Amino acid sequence: MNAVLVLIAFAVFAVLMYVRVLPALIAVPAMGLTMALAAGVHPASLGPIITTGVIALAPVYAAVVFGALLGRVTLDTGIARAMVNVAAEYGGEKPLWMALGLCAVVALLFTSLNGLGAIIMVGSVALPIMMTTGVPRPIAATLFLMSFALGFIFNAANWTFYTTYFGIGEPQLFRYALVLAAIDAVALVAYASISFARYRGYAQWAVRAKTDERQGVPAIAMITPLLPLALYYGFHLDAVPAFLIAAIYGAVVARPKDAIKTLVAAGIRGVEDVAPALLLFMGIGILSTATKQPQFVAALQPLIGDWLRNPIAYVAVFGLASPLTLYRGPLNPFGVGIAVFTVLASSHVLIAVVLVAAVMAVVQVQNVCDPTNTANVWVANFTGVQIETLTKRTLPFQVGVAVAATLAVVLFSNALFGTQAFASVLPVARAAVAELPGLYAPPSASGRIGVEDDGTAFGHAATNAAVVALNAGGTGVSAQAARGDANATDCTGKPFAAYADVLTSTFQLIEGTDLDVGIRLEDCGGWVVNEWHDHRVLASPSVDDAAQLAREGVARLLDWSHAQPARSQALFGQGLALVAGDPPTYLYALFKTVDGEMRVYARAGGPAYAAGLRSGDIVDTVDGKYWWEYGTYQTQQRAYDGKPHEFGIRRGNATVDVRLGEPLVKGSS
């Protein structure tokens, strides 16, 4: 019942935003609070939700404000105008090449600029230049919007929102951003080429390009918009200091005598430029905090299925259906869609970085095509083009960008993000041999078991005795001494279907020396099936004593084999001790080490291994929360609940997100 009420509340506010009865500034926080009440959150909790939500995105507010400061410095000092004029000067008599040159400059500027004020200032310079040099008005307007969206892919303030809100690291997105920008650039050039080829009426608009009558800008000031990129991506400086350093540099170099005055004025006007965005981010923070309440997550969990993990569904929803971003629709992250993406993030349906990739893909449609954008409204009014025309001309190209971007995620997620994004679906869609090639031992290994010693004299004697005892056990198993770690590689090409590790230890007692010989039975991927230990206290243990204890251990192994015929046959025949009736398993375990870290043991070739987990990985987060927030025991138990958890892990110097796919069950491959 609560889920139905939540959906009704969502639909009501979505419609109010869609028909523009309520602005997103009011509708988004109101939606969050109303849905929280519908989910069963106590009214007394609304106050803390508001308080926490308002400051939840504080890093984003700071980045937006300081980005606006830089934007105003770039505009007020004439740096932006000078860059546009340079592009126009080199464009000459060729409208197409001149337009593409201006697009490159506009894209570069909006890697740092933000807000409607920046759109107006840059557009007031770039658009008249294009239209007075032979670029038709509809083409000039649409190219300006497309180049703005291209540059905005790398906007540091925007990235701060992604990393803060969805809890991912900037390096995780960089390669994908480059791919998305390349796709966007191809679409822009294709649109420009096709549009110029089809358009024959190059009537120039009766607007003169404005000239800058103020003092010229030094050439070295032109790098001002590039500084935040270099500092943020190259030196991994936070967005706020990157913007601040660039703003100070631009003011000092371009207007050295008025640098302080320029910075103060830019700070004040910059805050005015982004005030609506700041209020919207506060509303988004309230919505995010509301949807993270336990009652909210519990209410919506039954509605969140695994269907979106299907790669076809991913491309269909975030690619083909990306026009749903228009009119503040259900995929618009700056409107109704923020609630959708928040629910998807809290339910961990998709790996966080893959969800952000979807957001970035649909934003390419929203930034260029949405008629409700204030930027689109201003550009349409300034150029004298109907706003619907802008949408119709650009929508096919931007939808193509979204489709291509989501296809890139599906096809190249390992290369882009270091993890298999859709491991939960691919085992169903593809043959088992292709998806889990190292799950089973090869036919040549059937009936063979490798016996490994621990490198000690006792271990060597015990291993030799165990090999003889296994070969004489009457089970048809052929044993042979082996070396190496069975868990180091999957079962592809393994010479044995199973392994028996012989482990020996001694320690002193008053009565004598305790000699312990253990036999640990493992499958071909190093997963422990069972373990037996035999020990004896002796005055002076010998290698013969170790051999005798090993024979006793083998006898217990053979007893287990007779008592578990189906499991032992599966183990010695195929290399995996899985039988009908076993619960679904991912074949991994979590364990806490003496250094306080939570680590992974993953069966080589198993489902967790295929998803990207490796033995020795250090676990930081489970389903978006630090593992210690659950507690040690609760975290370790998640390895056995058969659910597709998401892990944030450290492997050497790399940080990787891993999302489990489908668990292994008897009869599946």
Side-chain angles (χ1 to χ4, degrees):
M1 181 60 183
N2 285 352
V4 175
L5 293 176
V6 168
L7 292 179
I8 292 174
F10 173 84
V12 168
F13 284 99
V15 170
L16 291 175
M17 274 191 283
Y18 182 84
V19 299
R20 307 182 77 172
V21 171
L22 274 183
L25 297 180
I26 298 174
V28 169
M31 173 191 286
L33 297 174
T34 305
M35 288 195 301
L37 290 174
V41 174
H42 195 277
S45 299
L46 296 185
I49 288 174
I50 294 172
T51 302
T52 303
V54 165
I55 62 174
L57 298 179
V60 181
Y61 309 159
V64 169
V65 168
F66 280 86
L69 165 67
L70 171 62
R72 272 295 164 185
V73 168
T74 305
L75 297 169
D76 295 347
T77 58
I79 294 174
R81 181 182 297 274
M83 294 178 67
V84 173
N85 286 336
V86 168
E89 179 181 348
Y90 284 97
E93 299 293 327
K94 300 176 181 179
L96 172 59
W97 293 106
M98 185 275 301
L100 292 178
L102 283 176
C103 286
V105 173
V106 171
L108 179 63
L109 286 170
F110 279 101
T111 59
S112 300
L113 305 184
N114 205 339
L116 180 61
I119 291 281
I120 294 173
M121 294 295 290
V122 175
S124 297
V125 177
L127 288 169
I129 290 175
M130 280 196 271
M131 290 185 291
T132 55
T133 52
V135 180
R137 290 178 295 165
I139 300 177
T142 47
L143 284 179
F144 178 79
L145 290 172
M146 293 177 79
S147 56
F148 150 70
L150 172 59
F152 210 63
I153 292 173
F154 295 99
N155 191 282
N158 215 31
W159 276 48
T160 302
F161 170 61
Y162 293 144
T163 55
T164 301
Y165 195 72
F166 293 97
I168 60 173
E170 171 262 320
Q172 294 176 275
L173 281 177
F174 188 71
R175 280 176 289 187
Y176 172 74
L178 292 176
V179 171
L180 179 60
I183 295 170
D184 215 14
V186 169
L188 188 153
V189 173
Y191 169 79
S193 302
I194 294 172
S195 297
F196 273 95
R198 290 179 176 177
Y199 206 97
R200 292 293 179 267
Y202 284 3
Q204 297 180 356
W205 194 32
V207 170
R208 301 176 65 98
K210 297 179 181 179
T211 58
D212 191 358
E213 299 177 354
R214 292 179 296 176
Q215 180 182 352
V217 175
I220 58 172
M222 301 286 192
I223 68 170
T224 299
L226 286 174
L227 279 181
L229 291 178
L231 295 172
Y232 187 75
Y233 296 112
F235 296 93
H236 304 293
L237 208 62
D238 288 340
V240 169
F243 282 138
L244 182 59
I245 291 172
I248 294 173
Y249 173 86
V252 170
V253 172
R255 298 286 183 265
K257 294 181 180 179
D258 299 323
I260 295 178
K261 179 180 177 181
T262 299
L263 287 170
V264 172
I268 295 173
R269 296 185 66 188
V271 172
E272 294 174 354
D273 290 340
V274 297
L278 296 180
L279 292 175
L280 178 58
F281 279 129
M282 290 181 185
I284 291 173
I286 293 172
L287 172 63
S288 172
T289 304
T291 56
K292 290 178 181 177
Q293 300 304 305
Q295 300 92 331
F296 190 94
V297 175
L300 287 186
Q301 198 63 41
L303 303 177
I304 305 297
D306 293 341
W307 63 272
L308 198 54
R309 298 193 191 111
N310 185 294
I312 297 175
Y314 184 83
V315 175
V317 172
F318 301 115
L320 293 172
S322 56
L324 292 175
T325 59
L326 304 183
Y327 300 101
R328 307 290 170 177
L331 288 183
N332 190 323
F334 304 106
V336 178
I338 189 61
V340 175
F341 289 115
T342 300
V343 172
L344 292 176
S346 63
S347 61
H348 305 288
V349 171
L350 293 168
I351 299 173
V353 69
V354 173
L355 182 60
V356 174
V359 174
M360 294 175 70
V362 299
V363 162
Q364 292 311 107
V365 178
Q366 187 270 334
N367 273 342
V368 177
C369 309
D370 190 354
T372 66
N373 287 344
T374 53
N376 294 52
V377 173
W378 181 85
V379 169
N381 180 72
F382 187 81
T383 57
V385 178
Q386 290 187 351
I387 195 168
E388 293 80 8
T389 300
L390 302 183
T391 299
K392 292 176 182 178
R393 292 179 68 94
T394 57
L395 189 59
F397 292 89
Q398 295 307 111
V399 170
V401 170
V403 170
T406 52
L407 280 173
V409 173
V410 168
L411 297 176
F412 308 111
S413 60
N414 272 328
L416 294 174
F417 309 123
T419 185
Q420 175 58 57
F422 297 96
S424 59
V425 171
L426 293 178
V428 177
R430 296 163 57 187
V433 174
E435 184 57 31
L436 295 174
L439 181 62
Y440 296 110
S444 59
S446 180
R448 303 186 64 195
I449 180 171
V451 185
E452 305 184 43
D453 68 61
D454 58 10
T456 65
F458 286 147
H460 185 64
T463 296
N464 290 337
V467 168
V468 173
L470 283 168
N471 285 327
T475 61
V477 173
S478 173
Q480 181 181 337
R483 286 284 186 183
D485 180 7
N487 186 243
T489 59
D490 62 30
C491 296
T492 304
K494 287 283 182 69
F496 304 104
Y499 290 84
D501 283 347
V502 177
L503 311 169
T504 62
S505 64
T506 59
F507 59 93
Q508 299 298 317
L509 298 172
I510 296 176
E511 298 85 356
T513 301
D514 187 291
L515 172 63
D516 183 279
V517 176
I519 295 182
R520 184 168 62 208
L521 183 62
E522 301 175 352
D523 66 16
C524 61
W527 189 252
V528 178
V529 178
N530 213 326
E531 188 168 349
W532 302 271
H533 284 266
D534 293 275
H535 71 100
R536 190 164 299 154
V537 178
L538 303 163
S540 180
S542 66
V543 293
D544 291 335
D545 296 320
Q548 177 56 35
L549 290 173
R551 285 188 285 269
E552 293 176 11
V554 169
R556 300 215 286 163
L557 185 157
L558 295 175
D559 288 342
W560 169 85
S561 179
H562 294 309
Q564 299 277 345
R567 195 175 302 280
S568 63
Q569 288 173 14
L571 172 63
F572 298 130
Q574 295 182 302
L576 182 66
L578 187 70
V579 298
D582 285 346
T585 178
Y586 287 96
L587 295 176
Y588 77 101
L590 301 177
F591 60 99
K592 188 176 178 182
T593 49
V594 293
D595 57 4
E597 304 281 15
M598 184 67 69
R599 297 180 187 267
V600 176
Y601 190 86
R603 192 271 195 188
Y609 184 93
L613 288 180
R614 295 292 183 269
S615 294
D617 286 344
I618 297 175
V619 177
D620 284 331
T621 61
V622 181
D623 297 333
K625 294 175 62 176
Y626 289 111
W627 66 263
W628 53 83
E629 296 182 56
Y630 299 109
T632 300
Y633 175 77
Q634 291 82 355
T635 299
Q636 292 172 332
Q637 285 300 104
R638 279 164 169 75
Y640 306 100
D641 63 9
K643 296 181 180 179
H645 297 292
E646 177 184 347
F647 299 95
I649 63 170
R650 281 179 284 140
R651 184 181 302 151
N653 294 325
T655 300
V656 181
D657 282 339
V658 175
R659 174 73 190 217
L660 298 179
E662 292 290 335
L664 187 65
V665 294
K666 178 61 178 176
S668 68
S669 300

